[in-house]
């Protein structure tokens, strides 16, 4: 399957460390060589990069490893194609405008029969079941509200839609509307929250070690979501199948401290 990477933070944060580990899995330490993409939110704006080439050998990925884009919400994906050709339009994450917000979505897994779900005005550009599921979700949300709802109301609707898609197969997903990072576990997804007191971390897929005590302030909170742990010396927490978390400013909704998510 593909691999996902998401980040939610309370301050604009550099994701180059985590992205370096994910990128190596795109055709070098892993088989996910059928394209990759990443989206960075800057306020309500969204900056995205896509490439159908393997991320481990992509010149664009190499550029991003050297360019410190800082963001509070990031969604990234490396693809191993099972449905849909290896083309630029089939690379995740996918983005659409709804209610004056850029929604961004990435998924791994297979959804049996998802293309039988009726779509509204949102239509896929590519041929993946993932993009069809994303367009279906946005159509259902637009049917419910004519304008952007409060975050907690949107949380409930996203959970309901994820539960429907979870019934069609494997639905590991990241979604954002620029305010919240949603993470749904279909089969495998894990989280890690870094906060004071900060320690060191070493990537699993690359010889790169960072002492976050020298890269952060005592008030920083950064949560990373990944398909598999990206570091070997930190405590990652597995999500349960069917679980949905809504992260705002680095912590899940309803948890002001981030306690219980690892660190």
């Amino acid at each position: 399957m593909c691999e996902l990477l998401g980040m939610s933070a309370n301050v604009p944060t550099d994701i180059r460390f985590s992205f370096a580990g994910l990128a190596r899995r795109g055709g070098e330490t892993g088989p996910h060589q059928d394209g990759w993409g990443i989206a960075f939110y800057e306020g309500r704006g969204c900056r995205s990069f896509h490439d159908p080439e393997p991320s481990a050998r992509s010149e664009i990925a190499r550029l991003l490893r050297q360019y410190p884009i800082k963001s509070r919400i990031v969604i990234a994906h490396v693809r191993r194609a099972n449905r849909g050709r290896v083309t630029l339009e089939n690379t995740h994450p996918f983005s659409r405008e709804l209610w004056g917000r850029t929604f961004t979505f990435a998924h791994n897994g297979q959804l049996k029969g998802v293309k039988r779900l009726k779509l509204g005005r949102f239509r896929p550009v590519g041929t993946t079941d993932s993009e069809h599921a994303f367009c279906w979700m946005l159509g259902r949300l637009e049917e419910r509200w004519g304008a952007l709802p409060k975050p907690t109301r949107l949380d409930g609707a996203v959970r309901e839609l994820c539960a429907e898609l979870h019934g069609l197969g494997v639905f590991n997903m990241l979604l954002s509307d620029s305010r919240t990072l949603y993470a749904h576990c279909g089969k495998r997804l894990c989280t890690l929250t870094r906060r004071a007191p900060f320690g060191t971390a070493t990537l699993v897929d690359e010889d790169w070690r960072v002492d976050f005590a020298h890269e952060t302030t005592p008030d920083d909170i950064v949560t990373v979501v990944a398909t598999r742990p990206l570091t070997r010396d930190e405590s990652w927490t597995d999500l349960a199948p069917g679980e949905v978390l809504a992260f705002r400013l680095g912590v899940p909704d309803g948890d002001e401290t981030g306690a219980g998510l690892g660190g």
Side-chain angles (χ1 to χ4, degrees):
M1 291 194 301
C2 310
E3 292 214 15
L4 300 170
L5 168 63
M7 183 189 75
S8 172
N10 65 343
V11 294
T13 299
D14 182 353
I15 201 173
R16 286 182 298 171
F17 178 70
S18 295
F19 179 69
L22 180 75
R24 290 287 299 275
R25 295 177 181 179
E28 191 166 319
T29 62
H32 314 89
Q33 59 183 359
D34 299 322
W36 66 276
I38 188 168
F40 304 84
Y41 279 94
E42 299 177 19
R44 291 173 61 174
C46 185
R47 185 193 311 242
S48 61
F49 301 85
H50 298 79
D51 193 350
E53 296 297 317
S55 56
R57 301 190 293 274
S58 168
E59 292 295 330
I60 301 174
R62 186 174 294 111
L63 170 67
L64 292 177
R65 289 187 54 179
Q66 300 170 356
Y67 185 35
I69 298 174
K70 292 191 175 183
S71 174
R72 286 191 175 93
I73 297 178
V74 177
I75 294 177
H77 180 278
V78 291
R79 184 176 184 232
R80 185 178 185 184
N82 52 64
R83 294 184 183 178
R85 295 181 298 116
V86 180
T87 60
L88 181 61
E89 63 266 26
N90 284 335
T91 60
H92 307 222
F94 305 108
S95 296
R96 296 288 191 281
E97 179 275 330
L98 174 62
W99 305 315
R101 298 271 175 164
T102 299
F103 278 71
T104 302
F105 170 98
H107 159 249
N108 73 31
Q110 300 82 41
L111 299 172
K112 186 177 181 180
V114 70
K115 291 188 177 181
R116 290 195 291 268
L117 295 177
K118 185 178 179 180
L119 299 179
R121 70 178 177 93
F122 298 98
R123 298 298 172 120
V125 176
T127 58
T128 64
D129 57 351
S130 303
E131 191 180 13
H132 191 101
F134 177 42
C135 291
W136 174 80
M137 290 181 74
L138 293 185
R140 291 286 299 274
L141 292 174
E142 189 175 46
E143 288 175 2
R144 184 174 299 198
W145 293 293
L148 182 71
K150 293 181 179 180
T152 52
R153 296 187 69 191
L154 186 58
D155 294 353
V158 169
R159 288 187 169 93
E160 292 173 10
L161 296 175
C162 286
E164 290 191 52
L165 292 170
H166 183 69
L168 299 181
V170 179
F171 187 61
N172 301 301
M173 179 218 72
L174 297 176
L175 171 73
S176 182
D177 66 344
S178 82
R179 303 178 300 182
T180 307
L181 175 68
Y182 296 99
H184 175 271
C185 177
K187 185 177 182 180
R188 177 185 291 176
L189 210 58
C190 57
T191 67
L192 166 74
T193 297
R194 298 186 181 113
R195 57 185 178 272
F198 292 96
T200 59
T202 308
L203 289 175
V204 172
D205 299 270
E206 183 166 321
D207 186 18
W208 188 356
R209 184 179 178 86
V210 170
D211 184 350
F212 286 104
H214 297 304
E215 305 290 335
T216 57
T217 73
D219 296 326
D220 291 1
I221 302 175
V222 180
T223 291
V224 179
V225 184
T227 302
R228 294 181 293 128
L230 292 164
T231 57
R232 65 182 54 159
D233 43 12
E234 295 180 289
S235 178
W236 292 76
T237 299
D238 291 330
L239 274 64
E243 185 174 3
V244 182
L245 294 179
F247 295 97
R248 285 187 275 277
L249 301 179
V251 297
D253 181 46
D255 183 349
E256 296 181 356
T257 65
L261 285 175

